[in-house]
Amino acid sequence: VQLQASGGGLVQAGGSLRLSCAASGRTFSSYSMAWFRQGPGKEREFVAAVSRGGGIIYYADSVKGRFTVSRDNGKNTVYLQMNSLEPEDTAVYYCAAGPQTVTYARGYEYWGQGTLVTVSS
């Protein structure tokens, strides 16, 4: 499966953005999906994950209550709604697809190219 992330940009602290990740192929619904991010000088970290049918969702503690992950299997797309953004959220955001809903990067086989989110203070 090929993944294409979009929706990044520059936003002021307290603002919102919605990221999208479009998947090619007809097997999107058979994959768990996740978002990871990598900030300047930091390692890649888990943000959120959603199971194949959307019934299981995980969030990193740092984004709970601010970010919402969702998916539309009819559109082969996973979303990340980001509210109350903080400068610490500045990062390249990556979507990923894998066989299980886990919170670690090695659990995902396919990765998008990343989209940059910059939050100004």
Side-chain angles (χ1 to χ4, degrees), residues 8-67:
L10 174 64
V11 64
Q12 289 188 333
S16 298
L17 280 175
R18 188 174 84 153
L19 305 183
S20 300
C21 176
S24 63
R26 292 175 284 181
T27 59
F28 176 75
S29 61
S30 65
Y31 290 99
S32 293
M33 299 297 297
W35 290 94
F36 289 79
R37 68 185 181 186
Q38 186 166 14
K42 299 180 181 179
E43 295 187 352
R44 189 171 299 190
E45 65 175 357
F46 169 76
V47 175
V50 56
S51 60
R52 289 172 289 181
I56 298 172
I57 289 177
Y58 299 128
Y59 294 104
D61 288 343
S62 58
V63 307
K64 277 182 184 176
R66 300 189 299 122
F67 291 10

Side-chain angles (χ1 to χ4, degrees), residues 35-104:
W35 290 94
F36 289 79
R37 68 185 181 186
Q38 186 166 14
K42 299 180 181 179
E43 295 187 352
R44 189 171 299 190
E45 65 175 357
F46 169 76
V47 175
V50 56
S51 60
R52 289 172 289 181
I56 298 172
I57 289 177
Y58 299 128
Y59 294 104
D61 288 343
S62 58
V63 307
K64 277 182 184 176
R66 300 189 299 122
F67 291 10
T68 302
V69 63
S70 62
R71 65 187 297 162
D72 185 335
N73 287 340
K75 295 182 179 180
N76 283 9
T77 302
V78 62
Y79 304 97
L80 185 68
Q81 177 66 44
M82 306 186 294
N83 298 328
S84 301
L85 283 161
E86 303 168 352
E88 293 73 23
D89 296 316
T90 294
V92 176
Y93 284 71
Y94 300 89
C95 56
Q100 295 183 344
T101 312
V102 295
T103 62
Y104 46 88

